């Protein structure tokens, strides 16, 4: 790694970088850039105007002895750096690529005086060379039966894919305490003195599993660095951490009921297996290499004798099996009908019931089911009509089941009585939260939290077929910037962004400049311009309800067009500006509806499913058949007649990855319909489809100007995944 340097600040273009503190600002706004992308920036800025070879970057940032995946890591880090700087390899303003040799920083760089650094808090970060904790602290700092020697961190190899950020949060567990009493007191005053969510493990962590006593969290760490991926364990104080396995295919750890062992899945090109390892560390023991096993989620039976997992069924679906920890014998536990798929097993604290996820043959929708632990008919608990992300989790008293669902769009935590009833959102956990795990003895909750980063790009299409299209990054990656929609005249852009905190509607010039926030409703999305460019319709989530709003493109107070208990989302305007189309579940499933622009009683347009409608030049509507990936485009008349597939093969990657112009539909083809990520165009006149361009990654959002000469799409960075402890939830 690059050695630490004295405080130094540099200005280039609209950016200011502090190379000592690893901070980057643009126009006074701090941008999210760290790890290897910032290290590359630091090296290039310090040697502005000079060529820096790839080999030099390897030695300075990744380490002299790192070879595996170096090219992948450098390319990924450089892509993120360029996107943050709104730079382009083809037309660089900051970083010039010297093919097969290296890079050169070409912008003018000016050093500036650095502000006096603020005193940093003293935080003890674990190190590869750090000695194990004192033996006297072993009883309070290690799981039952762990020894100091067994919990030493293995010496890490030089970092290759990305740097591991260490963020350690103290939770006052340095003295022995009555943990159950502490948890009860904490829950009693939750929301008053406790932060709702505390980061235990920063990126890149996933698959959290909390020990029965609530003191330890096992998780999966992903890394390109050899030996740095695998199963890890961290104390709930956030301080003590240990690596248990070092295979990158290891995932989904599960604690034994006594907290002494961890089971985990090993999923790789050559193996789908289940292993058991002492929680204090040791040699993993393989207990299952079932070729039918296709998912990683595991659950111990409360007696500790069996482990449940999901594997292929003879009918073509998937069912849950039990494998004996002692002799590896296997027996089926659930009997799904037809090609339904069962996965995500979770046993109730008393061991009498089993909760799991069941999806239909196509995988969607997925719902929570409960059955007797010894088999029998399963009872469906939920009617979410969405995807379930991660296995369900039981409350410590067995009365409630927690799960993550995409029912409202982004994955979020829900809960439902284990005896049945309506499902409710879990307060205090936000969106993009999944994989709940609850301590059987204390009820402590840990979750996996996804922090998304995305920018917006513009693709200018040439009028001459001999010319190449040109892509320009128009927003630096600073949180989520998504859902771009050009105004009718192509001069302005509406989009949703959380750059100021919550996800709101913003407008800007077509190049991303002069961005202005229009709303302050906390969770907004899918903006669409009125035909005259004076109004924007959008959806927003408030108090668990999704409804449609209209706001002036010049600013002002948003007006609720719909305000009821149904999920009303993804609105768009009719071409005459008199109607607003939207999607709603008010009839029991997603359908396209319409309502007068000034408000009124909604009228249903589709009857066999529909989502995200858009009016075409001929007056008909085109819409996505479902909200799920790889959906077909259908068409219908505005009065609801003649529902039919729009055209053979017109199937898009997502419900939002297509845009209408006056002459045709631009779209990202569904998976499997093309090699790589292509941008295709369906011509209204010829009724033929052709490839327009290749993209380096598959966007979720796509839109087009009416003239069809400019397209906008989102550029999603890799999601950052952390493990969080939830102190306050309802």
């Amino acid at each position: 790694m690059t050695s630490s340097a004295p405080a130094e600040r540099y200005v280039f273009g609209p950016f200011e970088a502090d190379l000592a503190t690893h901070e980057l600002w643009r126009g006074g706004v701090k941008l999210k850039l760290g790890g290897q992308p910032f290290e590359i920036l630091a090296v290039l800025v310090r040697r502005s105007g000079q060529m820096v070879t790839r080999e030099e970057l390897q030695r300075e940032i990744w380490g002299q002895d790192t070879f595996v995946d170096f090219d992948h890591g450098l390319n990924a880090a450089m892509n993120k750096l360029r996107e943050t700087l709104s730079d382009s390899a083809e037309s660089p303003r900051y970083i010039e690529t010297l093919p097969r040799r290296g890079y050169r920083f070409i912008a003018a760089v000016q050093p500036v005086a650095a502000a006096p650094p603020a005193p940093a808090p003293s935080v003890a970060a674990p190190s590869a060379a750090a000695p194990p904790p004192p033996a006297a602290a072993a009883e309070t700092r290690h799981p039952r039966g762990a020894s100091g020697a067994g919990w030493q961190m293995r010496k890490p190899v030089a970092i290759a894919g990305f740097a591991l950020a260490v963020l350690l949060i103290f939770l006052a567990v340095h003295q022995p305490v009555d943990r159950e009493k502490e948890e009860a007191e904490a829950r009693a005053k939750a929301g008053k003195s406790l932060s709702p969510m505390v980061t235990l493990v920063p990126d890149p962590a996933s698959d959290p599993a909390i020990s029965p006593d609530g003191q330890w969290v096992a998780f999966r760490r992903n890394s390109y660095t050899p030996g740095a991926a695998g199963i890890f364990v961290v104390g709930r104080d956030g301080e003590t951490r240990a690596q248990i396995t070092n295979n990158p295919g290891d995932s989904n750890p599960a604690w034994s009921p006594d907290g002494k062992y961890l089971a985990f899945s090993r999923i790789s090109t050559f193996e789908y297996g289940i292993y058991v390892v002492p929680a204090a560390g040791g040699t993993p023991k393989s207990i299952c290499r079932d070729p039918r096993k296709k998912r990683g989620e595991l659950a111990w039976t409360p007696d500790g004798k069996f482990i449940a997992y999901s594997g292929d069924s003879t009918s073509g679906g998937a069912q849950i099996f039990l494998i004996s920890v002692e002799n590896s014998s296997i027996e089926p536990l659930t009997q799904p009908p037809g090609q339904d798929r069962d996965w995500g097993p979770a046993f109730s604290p008393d061991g009498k019931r089993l909760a799991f996820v069941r999806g239909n043959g196509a995988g969607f929708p997925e719902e929570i089911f409960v059955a007797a632990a010894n088999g029998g008919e399963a009872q469906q608990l939920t009617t979410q009509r969405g995807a379930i992300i991660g296995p369900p989790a039981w409350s410590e008293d067995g009365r409630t089941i927690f799960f993550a669902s995409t029912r409202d769009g982004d994955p979020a935590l829900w809960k439902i009585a284990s005896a049945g009833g309506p499902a409710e959102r879990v307060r205090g956990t936000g969106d993009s939260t999944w994989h709940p795990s609850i301590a059987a003895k204390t009820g402590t909750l840990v979750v996996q939290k996804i922090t998304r980063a995305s920018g917006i790009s513009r693709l200018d299409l040439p009028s001459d077929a001999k010319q190449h299209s040109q892509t320009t990054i128009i927003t630096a990656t600073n949180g989520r910037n998504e859902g771009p929609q050009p105004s009718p005249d192509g001069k302005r852009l509406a989009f949703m962004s959380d750059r100021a905190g919550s996800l709101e509607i913003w407008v800007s010039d077509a190049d991303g400049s002069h961005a202005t926030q229009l709303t302050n409703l906390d969770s907004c999305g899918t903006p669409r311009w009125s035909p005259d460019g004076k109004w924007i319709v959008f959806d927003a989530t408030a108090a668990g309800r999704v409804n449609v709003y209209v706001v002036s493109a010049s600013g002002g107070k948003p007006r609720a067009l719909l305000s009821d208990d149904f999920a009303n989302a993804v609105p768009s305007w009719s071409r005459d500006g008199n109607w607003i189309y939207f999607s709603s579940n008010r009839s029991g499933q997603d359908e396209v509806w319409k309502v007068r622009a000034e408000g009124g009683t909604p009228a249903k347009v589709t009857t066999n499913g529909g989502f995200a409608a858009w009016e075409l030049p001929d007056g008909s509507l085109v819409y996505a058949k479902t909200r799920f990936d790889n959906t077909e485009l259908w068409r219908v008349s505005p009065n609801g007649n003649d529902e039919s597939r729009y055209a053979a093969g017109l199937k898009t990657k997502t419900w939002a990855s297509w845009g209408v112009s006056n002459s045709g539909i631009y779209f990202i083809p569904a998976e499997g319909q093309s090699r790589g990520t292509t941008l295709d165009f369906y011509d209204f006149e010829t009724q033929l489809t052709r490839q327009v361009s290749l993209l380096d990654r598959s966007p979720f959002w796509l839109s087009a100007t009416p003239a069809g000469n400019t397209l906008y799409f989102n550029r999603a960075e890799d999601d950052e995944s952390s493990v969080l402890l939830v102190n306050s939830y309802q």
Side-chain angles (χ1 to χ4, degrees):
M1 296 295 294
T2 305
S3 59
S4 59
E8 47 184 333
R9 286 193 180 208
Y10 297 91
V11 170
F12 51 92
F15 297 96
E16 182 175 341
D18 189 322
L19 305 190
T21 63
H22 284 208
E23 293 176 294
L24 179 67
W25 295 269
R26 179 176 183 173
V29 177
K30 185 176 179 181
L31 303 180
K32 189 174 184 180
L33 184 74
Q36 288 153 338
F38 194 97
E39 293 279 1
I40 294 173
L41 176 64
V43 173
L44 295 177
V45 167
R46 289 189 182 110
R47 296 174 56 181
S48 176
Q50 304 176 27
M51 182 183 74
V52 180
T53 67
R54 294 173 68 90
E55 291 75 18
E56 288 175 310
L57 290 173
Q58 179 179 0
R59 286 195 302 270
E60 290 212 36
I61 298 174
W62 276 266
Q64 180 70 39
D65 301 324
T66 298
F67 299 97
V68 178
D69 275 336
F70 162 70
D71 286 335
H72 175 91
L74 176 58
N75 292 338
M78 184 61 72
N79 286 339
K80 183 162 188 175
L81 172 57
R82 278 198 168 112
E83 182 164 347
T84 302
L85 299 178
S86 299
D87 202 14
S88 166
E90 294 78 17
S91 303
R93 291 182 291 172
Y94 302 104
I95 302 172
E96 178 186 21
T97 299
L98 304 172
R100 297 183 296 278
R101 291 176 292 168
Y103 305 92
R104 178 164 51 213
F105 201 82
I106 59 176
V109 175
Q110 295 291 332
V112 296
S122 177
V123 179
S127 168
E139 291 184 7
T140 61
R141 299 175 65 85
H142 299 302
R144 197 176 307 131
S147 65
W151 279 82
Q152 290 186 51
M153 287 288 289
R154 291 178 174 84
K155 184 178 181 180
V157 188
I159 297 178
F162 44 73
L164 172 64
V166 180
L167 177 61
L168 300 179
I169 307 297
F170 286 93
L171 295 179
V173 293
H174 298 287
Q175 300 295 327
V177 295
D178 184 337
R179 205 45 82 184
E180 293 189 15
K181 181 180 179 180
E182 181 193 68
E183 292 292 341
E185 293 176 350
R187 286 197 297 273
K189 59 183 180 181
K192 298 180 181 179
S193 60
L194 293 178
S195 176
M197 304 180 79
V198 176
T199 302
L200 286 180
V201 185
D203 184 61
S206 62
D207 304 353
I210 192 166
S211 60
D213 62 5
Q215 299 306 299
W216 301 92
V217 177
F219 62 95
R220 178 191 187 186
R221 181 175 186 262
N222 303 298
S223 176
Y224 292 121
T225 304
I231 303 300
F232 285 67
V233 170
V234 64
R236 63 160 288 164
D237 59 359
E239 293 184 21
T240 308
R241 185 182 305 181
Q243 184 172 0
I244 306 301
T245 75
N246 58 11
N247 189 309
D250 295 349
S251 64
N252 292 278
W255 291 87
S256 62
D258 60 8
K260 294 182 178 180
Y261 294 92
L262 286 168
F264 63 89
S265 291
R266 178 166 291 173
I267 302 176
S268 66
T269 304
F270 307 103
E271 180 181 3
Y272 283 85
I274 299 174
Y275 286 74
V276 172
V277 64
T283 301
K285 173 187 175 183
S286 174
I287 65 169
C288 173
R289 292 188 178 180
D290 189 347
R292 296 172 297 181
K293 183 177 184 291
K294 291 298 184 290
R295 294 193 63 107
E297 297 87 1
L298 305 174
W300 293 74
T301 55
D303 60 10
K305 296 181 179 180
F306 298 90
I307 294 173
Y309 69 95
S310 177
D312 294 341
S313 65
T314 56
S315 61
Q319 63 190 121
I320 295 174
F321 296 87
L322 286 178
I323 182 168
S324 170
V325 177
E326 181 180 356
N327 59 29
S328 297
S329 61
I330 297 174
E331 60 181 81
L333 183 57
T334 66
Q335 299 292 337
Q339 296 185 344
D340 284 2
R341 301 173 181 272
D342 292 353
W343 61 274
F347 290 96
S348 61
D350 61 8
K352 296 180 179 180
R353 291 174 292 173
L354 171 73
F356 61 93
V357 182
R358 175 171 289 175
N360 62 25
F364 295 100
E366 294 174 314
E367 306 292 355
I368 302 295
F369 283 71
V370 171
N374 58 1
E377 185 175 354
Q379 171 195 0
Q380 180 176 338
L381 283 191
T382 66
T383 53
Q384 295 292 105
R385 304 297 297 177
I388 304 296
I389 311 296
W394 293 80
S395 62
E396 73 273 28
D397 59 8
R399 297 178 180 178
T400 307
I401 294 176
F402 292 77
F403 62 96
S405 170
T406 63
R407 172 180 174 177
D408 282 352
D410 283 340
L413 286 190
W414 293 72
K415 64 181 179 180
I416 190 170
S418 59
E424 301 177 10
R425 281 284 294 267
V426 179
R427 298 179 182 176
T429 56
D431 290 333
S432 300
T433 306
W434 60 62
H435 209 300
S437 177
I438 296 176
K441 295 181 181 179
T442 65
T444 306
L445 171 66
V446 294
V447 296
Q448 180 178 345
K449 186 77 170 179
I450 302 298
T451 303
R452 295 178 174 175
S454 55
I456 296 173
S457 291
R458 185 182 73 227
L459 179 66
D460 294 313
L461 301 177
S463 56
D464 187 345
K466 295 181 181 180
Q467 297 177 342
H468 295 289
S469 58
Q470 182 173 349
T471 300
T472 304
I473 300 172
I474 63 171
T475 63
T477 301
N478 184 25
R480 294 176 59 184
N481 301 278
E482 301 172 356
Q485 287 291 333
S487 60
D489 61 7
K491 296 181 179 180
R492 304 185 74 194
L493 190 69
F495 59 97
M496 54 194 194
S497 175
D498 64 358
R499 62 182 65 189
S502 59
L503 196 62
E504 304 292 349
I505 304 301
W506 289 66
V507 293
S508 70
D509 291 345
D511 62 359
S513 63
H514 302 105
T516 303
Q517 183 177 337
L518 288 186
T519 67
N520 190 24
L521 296 176
D522 196 38
S523 184
C524 303
T526 61
R528 304 287 191 270
W529 294 85
S530 62
D532 60 9
K534 295 181 178 180
W535 302 92
I536 293 175
V537 66
F538 63 96
D539 58 44
T541 302
R545 300 184 302 179
V546 184
N547 279 306
V548 176
Y549 293 78
V550 176
V551 66
S552 169
S554 301
K557 183 178 180 180
R559 170 174 60 91
L561 185 67
L562 294 165
S563 183
D564 52 40
D565 292 331
F566 301 106
N568 308 303
V570 197
S572 67
W573 297 79
S574 63
R575 289 189 168 238
D576 60 11
N578 294 328
W579 294 90
I580 291 176
Y581 302 102
F582 63 97
S583 303
S584 179
N585 64 353
R586 60 185 59 230
S587 63
Q589 65 176 358
D590 287 333
E591 299 284 4
V592 176
W593 292 69
K594 66 179 182 179
V595 65
R596 287 283 182 182
E598 64 272 15
T601 302
K604 191 165 69 165
V605 178
T606 63
T607 57
N608 296 307
F611 200 73
W614 198 274
E615 189 170 297
L616 299 178
D618 65 5
S620 64
L621 298 181
V622 61
Y623 59 94
K625 187 64 173 175
T626 73
R627 68 171 68 200
F628 304 119
D629 286 353
N630 304 318
T631 180
E632 293 179 327
L633 293 187
W634 281 52
R635 68 183 301 173
V636 66
S637 65
N639 58 12
N641 295 328
D642 304 322
E643 291 180 65
S644 61
R645 288 183 178 86
Y646 189 76
L650 204 54
K651 193 174 184 180
T652 69
K653 177 66 174 62
T654 74
W655 61 263
S657 59
W658 53 281
V660 176
S661 71
N662 292 333
S663 57
I665 300 174
Y666 293 90
F667 67 101
I668 305 299
E671 290 181 352
Q673 291 193 340
S674 62
R675 299 183 64 181
T677 299
T678 67
L679 171 63
D680 290 1
F681 176 70
Y682 174 80
D683 193 305
F684 290 145
E685 183 177 355
T686 65
Q687 299 184 20
L688 297 177
T689 299
R690 59 181 171 85
Q691 180 178 309
V692 174
S693 181
L694 290 172
L695 301 179
D696 60 353
R697 67 194 76 177
S698 180
F700 185 90
W701 303 91
L702 179 70
S703 61
T705 56
N709 58 340
T710 302
L711 307 179
Y712 293 90
F713 58 94
N714 71 300
R715 295 176 58 88
E717 288 296 314
D718 293 335
D719 289 341
E720 298 180 0
S721 176
S722 306
V723 172
L724 282 74
L725 175 72
V726 182
N727 282 319
S728 174
Y729 62 94
Q730 297 179 3

